[in-house]
Amino acid sequence: DNVKKDISFKGEALEKYILTQISCGTTFTKEDIRKKYPDVSESTLNRVLTRLKEEGIIEIIGIGRSARWIKIIPDDDPRALFGKLHGNN
């Protein structure tokens, strides 16, 4: 059960980083995220990126190893200011 909590915490930390520390219009790669969070698994990273894409927060540019992500919500969006909104699971 602690493993599950640890994975969840890492995913939340990663999501909050993308939401609050990357500016609108800024592109980044998975490698950029790995440098910042080297202990996050590939599956957790993919899960977070997929969720943020589905929520319309980021978009992917390109495919495969050359793929980049871009944050598309404005910097004054509450999610960008505070991370995940309370009650928005």
Side-chain angles (χ1 to χ4, degrees):
D1 210 25
N2 277 348
V3 171
K4 201 170 199 177
K5 286 180 185 174
D6 191 42
I7 291 170
S8 176
F9 176 77
K10 288 177 183 177
E12 288 176 18
L14 177 57
E15 187 171 315
K16 186 167 184 173
Y17 171 76
I18 293 170
L19 287 168
T20 62
Q21 301 301 311
I22 296 177
S23 299
C24 178
T26 300
T27 61
F28 59 95
T29 64
K30 283 185 177 182
E31 191 57 36
D32 295 333
I33 300 298
R34 280 191 203 98
K35 287 177 185 171
K36 184 79 178 165
Y37 292 91
D39 57 337
V40 171
S41 71
E42 183 74 12
S43 61
T44 298
L45 176 57
N46 287 333
R47 189 169 40 254
V48 168
L49 292 174
T50 298
R51 181 170 49 241
L52 294 177
K53 180 179 177 230
E54 288 171 353
E55 292 177 13
I57 293 169
I58 61 174
E59 286 184 357
I60 191 167
I61 303 167
I63 56 170
R65 289 184 168 272
S66 65
R68 299 184 67 77
W69 296 85
I70 184 167
K71 186 171 164 190
I72 58 173
I73 61 169
D75 291 336
D76 61 355
D77 185 298
R79 295 168 296 182
L81 295 172
F82 306 111
K84 219 176 213 182
L85 295 176
H86 296 288
N88 182 14
N89 294 335

Coordinates of all heavy atoms in Angstrom, one line a residue:
D1 N 0.8 -1.2 0.0 CA 0.0 0.0 0.0 C 0.9 1.3 0.0 O 0.5 2.3 -0.6 CB -0.9 0.0 1.2 CG -2.2 0.7 0.9 OD1 -2.6 0.8 -0.3 OD2 -2.9 1.2 1.9
N2 N 2.0 1.2 0.7 CA 2.9 2.4 0.7 C 3.5 2.6 -0.7 O 3.7 3.8 -1.1 CB 4.1 2.1 1.7 CG 3.7 2.5 3.1 OD1 2.7 3.1 3.3 ND2 4.6 2.1 4.0
V3 N 3.7 1.6 -1.5 CA 4.2 1.7 -2.8 C 3.2 2.5 -3.7 O 3.5 3.4 -4.4 CB 4.5 0.4 -3.5 CG1 4.8 0.5 -5.0 CG2 5.6 -0.3 -2.8
K4 N 1.9 2.2 -3.5 CA 0.8 2.9 -4.2 C 0.8 4.4 -3.9 O 0.7 5.2 -4.7 CB -0.5 2.2 -4.0 CG -1.6 2.5 -5.0 CD -2.8 1.6 -4.8 CE -3.6 1.6 -6.0 NZ -4.7 0.7 -5.9
K5 N 0.9 4.7 -2.6 CA 0.9 6.0 -2.1 C 2.1 6.8 -2.6 O 2.0 7.9 -3.0 CB 0.9 6.1 -0.6 CG -0.4 5.7 0.0 CD -0.3 5.8 1.6 CE -1.6 5.3 2.2 NZ -1.5 5.3 3.6
D6 N 3.3 6.1 -2.7 CA 4.5 6.7 -3.2 C 4.4 7.1 -4.7 O 4.7 8.2 -5.1 CB 5.7 5.8 -3.0 CG 7.0 6.5 -3.2 OD1 7.2 7.6 -2.8 OD2 7.9 5.8 -3.8
I7 N 3.8 6.2 -5.4 CA 3.6 6.4 -6.9 C 2.6 7.6 -7.0 O 2.8 8.5 -7.9 CB 3.1 5.1 -7.6 CG1 4.2 4.1 -7.6 CG2 2.6 5.4 -9.0 CD1 3.7 2.7 -8.1
S8 N 1.5 7.6 -6.3 CA 0.5 8.6 -6.4 C 1.2 10.0 -6.0 O 0.9 11.0 -6.7 CB -0.6 8.3 -5.4 OG -1.6 9.4 -5.4
F9 N 2.0 10.0 -5.0 CA 2.6 11.3 -4.6 C 3.6 11.8 -5.6 O 3.6 13.0 -6.0 CB 3.4 11.0 -3.3 CG 4.2 12.3 -2.8 CD1 3.5 13.3 -2.3 CD2 5.6 12.3 -3.0 CE1 4.3 14.5 -1.9 CE2 6.3 13.5 -2.7 CZ 5.6 14.5 -2.1
K10 N 4.3 10.9 -6.2 CA 5.3 11.3 -7.3 C 4.5 11.8 -8.5 O 4.9 12.8 -9.1 CB 6.1 10.1 -7.8 CG 7.2 9.7 -6.7 CD 8.0 8.5 -7.2 CE 9.0 8.1 -6.1 NZ 9.7 6.9 -6.5
G11 N 3.4 11.2 -8.9 CA 2.6 11.6 -10.0 C 2.0 13.0 -9.7 O 2.0 13.9 -10.6
E12 N 1.5 13.2 -8.4 CA 1.0 14.5 -8.1 C 2.0 15.6 -8.1 O 1.8 16.7 -8.5 CB 0.3 14.4 -6.7 CG -1.0 13.7 -6.7 CD -1.6 13.5 -5.3 OE1 -1.2 14.2 -4.4 OE2 -2.5 12.6 -5.2
A13 N 3.2 15.3 -7.6 CA 4.3 16.2 -7.6 C 4.7 16.6 -9.1 O 4.9 17.8 -9.4 CB 5.5 15.7 -6.9
L14 N 4.8 15.6 -9.9 CA 5.1 15.8 -11.3 C 4.0 16.7 -12.0 O 4.3 17.7 -12.7 CB 5.2 14.5 -12.0 CG 5.4 14.5 -13.5 CD1 6.7 15.2 -13.9 CD2 5.6 13.0 -14.0
E15 N 2.7 16.4 -11.7 CA 1.6 17.1 -12.3 C 1.7 18.6 -11.8 O 1.5 19.5 -12.6 CB 0.3 16.5 -11.9 CG -0.9 17.1 -12.6 CD -2.2 16.3 -12.3 OE1 -2.1 15.0 -12.4 OE2 -3.2 16.9 -12.0
K16 N 1.9 18.8 -10.5 CA 2.0 20.1 -10.0 C 3.1 20.9 -10.6 O 3.0 22.1 -10.9 CB 2.1 20.1 -8.5 CG 2.0 21.5 -7.9 CD 1.8 21.5 -6.4 CE 1.7 22.9 -5.9 NZ 1.3 23.0 -4.5
Y17 N 4.3 20.2 -10.8 CA 5.4 20.9 -11.5 C 5.0 21.4 -12.9 O 5.3 22.5 -13.2 CB 6.6 19.9 -11.5 CG 7.7 20.5 -12.4 CD1 8.6 21.5 -11.9 CD2 7.9 20.0 -13.7 CE1 9.6 22.0 -12.7 CE2 8.9 20.5 -14.5 CZ 9.8 21.5 -14.0 OH 10.8 22.0 -14.8
I18 N 4.4 20.5 -13.7 CA 4.0 20.9 -15.0 C 3.0 22.1 -15.0 O 3.1 23.0 -15.7 CB 3.5 19.7 -15.8 CG1 4.6 18.7 -16.1 CG2 2.8 20.1 -17.1 CD1 4.2 17.4 -16.6
L19 N 2.0 22.0 -14.1 CA 1.0 23.0 -14.0 C 1.5 24.3 -13.5 O 1.1 25.4 -14.0 CB -0.1 22.5 -13.0 CG -1.0 21.4 -13.5 CD1 -1.9 20.9 -12.4 CD2 -1.9 21.9 -14.6
T20 N 2.4 24.3 -12.5 CA 2.8 25.6 -11.9 C 4.2 26.1 -12.3 O 4.4 27.3 -12.2 CB 2.8 25.5 -10.4 OG1 3.8 24.5 -9.9 CG2 1.4 25.1 -9.8
Q21 N 5.1 25.3 -12.8 CA 6.4 25.8 -13.1 C 6.7 25.9 -14.6 O 7.8 26.5 -14.9 CB 7.4 24.8 -12.4 CG 7.3 24.7 -10.9 CD 7.5 26.0 -10.2 OE1 8.4 26.7 -10.4 NE2 6.5 26.3 -9.3
I22 N 5.9 25.4 -15.4 CA 6.1 25.5 -16.9 C 5.1 26.5 -17.4 O 3.9 26.4 -17.1 CB 6.0 24.2 -17.6 CG1 7.0 23.2 -17.1 CG2 6.0 24.3 -19.1 CD1 7.0 21.8 -17.7
S23 N 5.6 27.5 -18.1 CA 4.8 28.6 -18.6 C 4.0 28.2 -19.8 O 4.4 27.4 -20.6 CB 5.6 29.9 -18.9 OG 6.3 30.3 -17.8
C24 N 2.9 28.9 -20.0 CA 2.0 28.7 -21.2 C 2.9 28.9 -22.5 O 3.7 29.9 -22.5 CB 0.9 29.7 -21.2 SG -0.2 29.5 -22.7
G25 N 2.8 28.0 -23.4 CA 3.6 28.2 -24.7 C 5.0 27.6 -24.6 O 5.6 27.5 -25.6
T26 N 5.4 27.1 -23.4 CA 6.7 26.5 -23.3 C 6.6 25.1 -23.6 O 5.7 24.4 -23.2 CB 7.2 26.7 -21.8 OG1 7.2 28.1 -21.5 CG2 8.5 26.0 -21.6
T27 N 7.6 24.6 -24.4 CA 7.7 23.2 -24.8 C 8.7 22.5 -23.9 O 9.6 23.1 -23.4 CB 8.1 23.0 -26.3 OG1 9.4 23.6 -26.5 CG2 7.1 23.7 -27.2
F28 N 8.4 21.2 -23.7 CA 9.3 20.4 -22.9 C 9.3 19.0 -23.4 O 8.4 18.6 -24.1 CB 8.9 20.5 -21.4 CG 7.5 20.0 -21.1 CD1 7.3 18.7 -20.7 CD2 6.5 20.9 -21.2 CE1 6.0 18.3 -20.4 CE2 5.2 20.5 -20.9 CZ 4.9 19.2 -20.5
T29 N 10.3 18.2 -23.1 CA 10.3 16.8 -23.5 C 10.2 15.9 -22.2 O 10.4 16.4 -21.1 CB 11.7 16.5 -24.2 OG1 12.7 16.7 -23.2 CG2 11.9 17.4 -25.4
K30 N 10.0 14.6 -22.5 CA 10.0 13.7 -21.4 C 11.4 13.7 -20.7 O 11.5 13.6 -19.5 CB 9.8 12.3 -21.9 CG 8.3 12.0 -22.1 CD 8.2 10.5 -22.5 CE 6.8 10.1 -22.8 NZ 6.6 8.7 -23.1
E31 N 12.4 13.9 -21.4 CA 13.8 13.9 -20.9 C 13.9 15.1 -19.9 O 14.6 15.0 -18.9 CB 14.8 14.0 -22.0 CG 16.3 13.8 -21.5 CD 16.5 12.5 -20.8 OE1 15.9 11.4 -21.1 OE2 17.2 12.5 -19.8
D32 N 13.4 16.3 -20.3 CA 13.4 17.4 -19.4 C 12.8 17.1 -18.1 O 13.3 17.4 -17.0 CB 12.6 18.6 -20.0 CG 13.2 19.2 -21.3 OD1 14.5 19.0 -21.5 OD2 12.5 19.7 -22.1
I33 N 11.6 16.4 -18.1 CA 10.9 16.0 -16.9 C 11.8 15.0 -16.1 O 11.9 15.0 -14.9 CB 9.5 15.4 -17.2 CG1 8.7 16.5 -17.9 CG2 8.8 14.9 -15.9 CD1 8.4 17.7 -17.2
R34 N 12.4 14.0 -16.8 CA 13.2 13.0 -16.1 C 14.4 13.6 -15.4 O 14.8 13.1 -14.3 CB 13.7 12.0 -17.2 CG 12.7 10.9 -17.5 CD 13.3 9.8 -18.3 NE 12.3 9.1 -19.1 CZ 12.1 9.4 -20.4 NH1 12.8 10.2 -21.1 NH2 11.1 8.7 -21.0
K35 N 15.0 14.7 -16.0 CA 16.1 15.3 -15.3 C 15.6 16.0 -14.0 O 16.4 16.0 -13.0 CB 16.7 16.4 -16.2 CG 17.5 15.9 -17.4 CD 18.0 16.9 -18.3 CE 18.6 16.4 -19.5 NZ 18.9 17.4 -20.5
K36 N 14.4 16.5 -14.0 CA 13.9 17.1 -12.8 C 13.4 16.1 -11.8 O 13.5 16.3 -10.5 CB 12.7 18.1 -13.2 CG 12.2 18.9 -12.1 CD 13.0 20.0 -11.8 CE 12.4 20.9 -10.7 NZ 13.3 21.8 -10.0
Y37 N 12.8 15.0 -12.3 CA 12.2 13.9 -11.4 C 12.8 12.6 -11.8 O 12.1 11.8 -12.4 CB 10.7 13.9 -11.5 CG 10.1 15.1 -10.9 CD1 9.8 16.3 -11.6 CD2 9.7 15.1 -9.6 CE1 9.3 17.4 -11.1 CE2 9.2 16.2 -9.0 CZ 8.9 17.4 -9.7 OH 8.4 18.5 -9.1
P38 N 14.1 12.3 -11.5 CA 14.7 11.1 -12.0 C 14.1 9.8 -11.4 O 14.3 8.7 -12.0 CB 16.2 11.2 -11.6 CG 16.2 12.2 -10.5 CD 15.0 13.1 -10.8
D39 N 13.4 9.9 -10.3 CA 12.9 8.7 -9.6 C 11.5 8.4 -10.0 O 10.9 7.4 -9.6 CB 13.0 8.8 -8.1 CG 12.3 10.1 -7.6 OD1 12.1 11.0 -8.4 OD2 11.9 10.1 -6.4
V40 N 10.9 9.1 -11.0 CA 9.5 8.9 -11.4 C 9.6 7.8 -12.6 O 10.4 8.0 -13.5 CB 8.8 10.2 -11.9 CG1 7.5 9.8 -12.6 CG2 8.6 11.1 -10.8
S41 N 8.8 6.8 -12.5 CA 8.8 5.7 -13.5 C 8.3 6.2 -14.8 O 7.5 7.2 -14.9 CB 8.0 4.5 -13.0 OG 6.6 4.8 -13.0
E42 N 8.6 5.5 -15.8 CA 8.1 5.8 -17.2 C 6.6 5.7 -17.2 O 5.9 6.6 -17.8 CB 8.7 4.8 -18.2 CG 8.3 5.1 -19.6 CD 9.0 6.3 -20.3 OE1 10.0 6.8 -19.7 OE2 8.6 6.7 -21.3
S43 N 6.0 4.7 -16.5 CA 4.6 4.6 -16.5 C 3.9 5.7 -15.8 O 2.8 6.2 -16.3 CB 4.1 3.2 -15.9 OG 4.6 3.1 -14.6
T44 N 4.5 6.2 -14.7 CA 3.9 7.3 -14.0 C 4.0 8.6 -14.9 O 3.0 9.4 -15.0 CB 4.6 7.6 -12.6 OG1 4.4 6.4 -11.8 CG2 4.1 8.8 -11.9
L45 N 5.1 8.8 -15.5 CA 5.3 10.0 -16.4 C 4.3 9.9 -17.5 O 3.6 10.9 -17.8 CB 6.7 10.0 -16.9 CG 7.1 11.1 -17.9 CD1 6.8 12.4 -17.4 CD2 8.5 10.9 -18.4
N46 N 4.1 8.8 -18.1 CA 3.2 8.7 -19.2 C 1.7 8.9 -18.8 O 0.9 9.5 -19.4 CB 3.3 7.3 -19.9 CG 4.5 7.2 -20.8 OD1 5.1 8.2 -21.3 ND2 5.0 6.0 -20.9
R47 N 1.4 8.4 -17.6 CA 0.1 8.5 -17.0 C -0.2 10.0 -16.8 O -1.3 10.5 -17.1 CB -0.1 7.7 -15.8 CG -1.4 7.6 -15.2 CD -1.6 6.6 -14.1 NE -0.5 6.5 -13.1 CZ 0.4 5.5 -13.1 NH1 0.4 4.5 -13.9 NH2 1.4 5.6 -12.2
V48 N 0.7 10.7 -16.2 CA 0.5 12.2 -15.9 C 0.4 12.9 -17.2 O -0.5 13.8 -17.4 CB 1.7 12.7 -15.1 CG1 1.6 14.3 -15.0 CG2 1.6 12.1 -13.7
L49 N 1.2 12.7 -18.2 CA 1.2 13.4 -19.5 C -0.2 13.1 -20.2 O -0.8 14.0 -20.7 CB 2.4 13.0 -20.4 CG 3.7 13.5 -19.9 CD1 4.8 13.0 -20.8 CD2 3.8 15.0 -19.8
T50 N -0.6 11.9 -20.2 CA -1.9 11.5 -20.8 C -3.0 12.2 -20.1 O -3.9 12.8 -20.8 CB -2.1 10.0 -20.8 OG1 -1.0 9.4 -21.5 CG2 -3.4 9.6 -21.4
R51 N -3.0 12.2 -18.8 CA -4.1 12.9 -18.1 C -4.2 14.4 -18.4 O -5.2 14.9 -18.6 CB -4.0 12.6 -16.6 CG -5.1 13.2 -15.8 CD -5.2 12.8 -14.3 NE -3.9 12.9 -13.6 CZ -3.2 11.9 -13.1 NH1 -3.7 10.7 -13.1 NH2 -2.1 12.1 -12.5
L52 N -3.0 15.0 -18.4 CA -3.0 16.5 -18.6 C -3.4 16.8 -20.1 O -4.0 17.8 -20.4 CB -1.6 17.0 -18.3 CG -1.2 17.0 -16.9 CD1 0.2 17.5 -16.7 CD2 -2.1 17.8 -16.0
K53 N -3.0 15.9 -21.0 CA -3.5 16.0 -22.4 C -5.0 15.9 -22.5 O -5.6 16.7 -23.2 CB -2.8 15.0 -23.3 CG -3.1 15.1 -24.7 CD -2.4 14.1 -25.6 CE -2.9 14.2 -27.0 NZ -3.3 12.9 -27.5
E54 N -5.5 14.9 -21.9 CA -7.0 14.7 -21.9 C -7.7 15.8 -21.3 O -8.9 16.1 -21.7 CB -7.3 13.4 -21.2 CG -6.9 12.1 -22.0 CD -7.1 10.8 -21.2 OE1 -7.4 10.9 -20.0 OE2 -6.9 9.8 -21.8
E55 N -7.1 16.5 -20.3 CA -7.8 17.7 -19.6 C -7.6 19.0 -20.4 O -8.0 20.0 -20.0 CB -7.2 17.8 -18.2 CG -7.6 16.7 -17.3 CD -7.0 16.8 -15.9 OE1 -6.5 17.9 -15.5 OE2 -7.1 15.8 -15.1
G56 N -6.8 18.9 -21.5 CA -6.6 20.1 -22.4 C -5.6 21.1 -21.8 O -5.7 22.3 -22.1
I57 N -4.7 20.6 -21.0 CA -3.7 21.4 -20.3 C -2.4 21.4 -21.2 O -1.7 22.5 -21.3 CB -3.4 20.9 -18.9 CG1 -4.7 21.2 -18.1 CG2 -2.2 21.6 -18.3 CD1 -4.7 20.5 -16.7
I58 N -2.1 20.3 -21.8 CA -0.9 20.2 -22.6 C -1.3 19.5 -23.9 O -2.3 18.9 -24.0 CB 0.3 19.4 -21.9 CG1 -0.1 18.0 -21.6 CG2 0.8 20.2 -20.7 CD1 1.0 17.1 -21.1
E59 N -0.4 19.7 -24.9 CA -0.6 19.1 -26.2 C 0.8 18.5 -26.6 O 1.8 19.0 -26.2 CB -1.1 20.0 -27.3 CG -2.5 20.4 -27.2 CD -3.0 21.3 -28.3 OE1 -2.2 21.7 -29.2 OE2 -4.2 21.6 -28.3
I60 N 0.7 17.4 -27.4 CA 2.0 16.8 -27.9 C 2.3 17.4 -29.3 O 1.3 17.6 -30.1 CB 1.9 15.3 -27.9 CG1 3.3 14.7 -28.1 CG2 0.8 14.8 -28.8 CD1 3.4 13.2 -27.8
I61 N 3.5 17.6 -29.6 CA 4.0 18.0 -30.9 C 5.0 17.0 -31.4 O 6.0 16.7 -30.7 CB 4.7 19.4 -30.8 CG1 3.8 20.4 -30.2 CG2 5.2 19.8 -32.2 CD1 4.5 21.7 -29.8
G62 N 4.7 16.3 -32.5 CA 5.6 15.3 -33.0 C 5.3 13.9 -32.4 O 4.3 13.8 -31.6
I63 N 6.1 13.0 -32.8 CA 5.9 11.6 -32.4 C 7.2 11.0 -32.0 O 8.3 11.5 -32.4 CB 5.2 10.7 -33.4 CG1 5.9 10.7 -34.7 CG2 3.7 11.1 -33.6 CD1 5.4 9.7 -35.8
G64 N 7.2 9.9 -31.2 CA 8.4 9.2 -30.9 C 9.4 10.0 -30.1 O 9.0 10.8 -29.3
R65 N 10.6 9.7 -30.2 CA 11.7 10.3 -29.4 C 11.8 11.8 -29.6 O 12.2 12.5 -28.7 CB 13.1 9.7 -29.7 CG 13.2 8.2 -29.2 CD 14.6 7.7 -29.5 NE 14.9 6.5 -28.8 CZ 15.3 6.4 -27.6 NH1 15.6 7.5 -26.9 NH2 15.5 5.3 -27.0
S66 N 11.4 12.3 -30.8 CA 11.5 13.7 -31.0 C 10.3 14.5 -30.5 O 10.2 15.7 -30.7 CB 11.7 14.0 -32.5 OG 10.6 13.6 -33.2
A67 N 9.3 13.8 -29.9 CA 8.1 14.4 -29.5 C 8.4 15.5 -28.4 O 9.2 15.3 -27.5 CB 7.1 13.4 -28.9
R68 N 7.7 16.6 -28.4 CA 7.7 17.6 -27.4 C 6.3 17.9 -26.9 O 5.4 17.6 -27.7 CB 8.3 18.9 -28.0 CG 9.8 18.7 -28.5 CD 10.4 20.0 -28.9 NE 10.6 20.9 -27.8 CZ 11.6 20.8 -26.9 NH1 12.5 19.8 -27.0 NH2 11.8 21.7 -26.0
W69 N 6.2 18.4 -25.8 CA 4.9 18.7 -25.2 C 4.9 20.2 -25.0 O 5.9 20.9 -24.9 CB 4.7 18.1 -23.8 CG 4.7 16.6 -23.9 CD1 5.7 15.7 -24.0 CD2 3.5 15.7 -24.0 NE1 5.3 14.4 -24.1 CE2 4.0 14.4 -24.1 CE3 2.2 16.0 -24.1 CZ2 3.1 13.3 -24.2 CZ3 1.3 14.9 -24.2 CH2 1.7 13.6 -24.3
I70 N 3.7 20.8 -25.1 CA 3.6 22.3 -24.9 C 2.4 22.5 -24.0 O 1.3 21.9 -24.1 CB 3.4 23.0 -26.3 CG1 3.3 24.5 -26.1 CG2 2.1 22.5 -27.0 CD1 3.5 25.3 -27.3
K71 N 2.6 23.4 -23.1 CA 1.6 23.8 -22.1 C 0.7 24.8 -22.8 O 1.2 25.8 -23.3 CB 2.2 24.3 -20.8 CG 1.1 24.6 -19.8 CD 1.8 24.9 -18.5 CE 0.9 25.6 -17.5 NZ 1.6 26.1 -16.3
I72 N -0.6 24.6 -22.8 CA -1.5 25.4 -23.6 C -2.5 26.2 -22.7 O -3.2 27.0 -23.2 CB -2.3 24.6 -24.7 CG1 -3.1 23.5 -24.0 CG2 -1.3 24.1 -25.7 CD1 -4.0 22.8 -25.0
I73 N -2.6 26.0 -21.4 CA -3.5 26.8 -20.6 C -2.7 28.1 -20.2 O -1.5 28.1 -20.0 CB -4.0 26.1 -19.3 CG1 -2.8 25.7 -18.4 CG2 -4.8 24.9 -19.7 CD1 -3.3 25.2 -17.0
P74 N -3.5 29.2 -20.1 CA -2.8 30.5 -19.7 C -2.2 30.4 -18.3 O -2.7 29.7 -17.5 CB -4.0 31.5 -19.7 CG -5.2 30.7 -20.2 CD -4.9 29.3 -20.2
D75 N -1.2 31.2 -18.1 CA -0.5 31.3 -16.8 C -1.4 31.7 -15.7 O -1.1 31.5 -14.5 CB 0.8 32.1 -16.9 CG 1.8 31.5 -17.8 OD1 1.8 30.3 -18.0 OD2 2.7 32.3 -18.3
D76 N -2.5 32.4 -16.0 CA -3.4 32.9 -15.0 C -4.6 31.9 -14.7 O -5.4 32.2 -13.9 CB -3.9 34.3 -15.3 CG -4.7 34.4 -16.5 OD1 -4.8 33.4 -17.3 OD2 -5.3 35.5 -16.8
D77 N -4.6 30.8 -15.4 CA -5.5 29.7 -15.1 C -5.3 29.3 -13.7 O -4.1 29.1 -13.3 CB -5.3 28.6 -16.1 CG -6.4 27.5 -16.0 OD1 -6.4 26.9 -14.9 OD2 -7.1 27.2 -16.9
P78 N -6.3 29.1 -12.9 CA -6.1 28.6 -11.5 C -5.3 27.3 -11.3 O -4.6 27.2 -10.4 CB -7.6 28.4 -11.0 CG -8.4 29.3 -11.8 CD -7.7 29.3 -13.2
R79 N -5.4 26.4 -12.3 CA -4.6 25.2 -12.3 C -3.1 25.5 -12.4 O -2.3 24.9 -11.8 CB -5.1 24.3 -13.4 CG -6.5 23.7 -13.2 CD -7.0 23.0 -14.4 NE -7.1 23.9 -15.5 CZ -7.5 23.6 -16.7 NH1 -7.9 22.4 -17.0 NH2 -7.6 24.5 -17.6
A80 N -2.8 26.5 -13.2 CA -1.4 26.9 -13.4 C -0.9 27.7 -12.2 O 0.3 27.7 -11.9 CB -1.3 27.8 -14.7
L81 N -1.7 28.3 -11.5 CA -1.3 29.1 -10.3 C -1.2 28.2 -9.1 O -0.2 28.3 -8.3 CB -2.3 30.2 -10.0 CG -2.5 31.3 -11.0 CD1 -3.6 32.2 -10.7 CD2 -1.2 32.1 -11.1
F82 N -2.1 27.2 -8.9 CA -2.1 26.4 -7.7 C -2.0 24.9 -7.8 O -2.1 24.2 -6.9 CB -3.5 26.7 -6.9 CG -3.7 28.2 -6.7 CD1 -4.7 28.8 -7.4 CD2 -3.0 28.9 -5.9 CE1 -5.0 30.2 -7.3 CE2 -3.2 30.3 -5.7 CZ -4.2 30.9 -6.4
G83 N -1.8 24.5 -9.1 CA -1.8 23.0 -9.3 C -3.2 22.6 -9.3 O -4.1 23.3 -9.6
K84 N -3.5 21.3 -9.0 CA -4.8 20.7 -9.1 C -5.8 21.5 -8.1 O -5.4 21.8 -7.0 CB -4.7 19.3 -8.6 CG -5.6 18.4 -9.4 CD -5.3 17.0 -8.9 CE -5.5 16.0 -10.0 NZ -5.3 14.6 -9.6
L85 N -6.9 21.8 -8.6 CA -8.0 22.4 -7.8 C -8.5 21.5 -6.8 O -8.6 20.3 -7.0 CB -9.1 23.0 -8.7 CG -8.7 24.1 -9.7 CD1 -9.9 24.4 -10.6 CD2 -8.2 25.3 -8.9
H86 N -8.9 22.0 -5.6 CA -9.5 21.2 -4.6 C -10.7 20.5 -5.1 O -11.6 21.2 -5.7 CB -9.7 22.0 -3.3 CG -8.5 22.5 -2.7 ND1 -7.6 21.7 -2.1 CD2 -8.0 23.8 -2.7 CE1 -6.6 22.5 -1.6 NE2 -6.8 23.7 -2.0
G87 N -10.9 19.2 -4.8 CA -12.1 18.5 -5.2 C -12.1 18.1 -6.7 O -13.0 17.5 -7.2
N88 N -11.0 18.4 -7.4 CA -10.9 18.1 -8.9 C -10.0 16.9 -9.0 O -8.8 17.1 -9.3 CB -10.4 19.3 -9.7 CG -10.3 19.0 -11.1 OD1 -10.9 18.0 -11.6 ND2 -9.7 19.9 -11.9
N89 N -10.5 15.7 -8.8 CA -9.6 14.5 -8.9 C -9.8 14.0 -10.2 O -10.1 13.1 -10.7 CB -10.0 13.5 -7.8 CG -9.7 14.1 -6.4 OD1 -8.8 15.0 -6.3 ND2 -10.3 13.7 -5.4

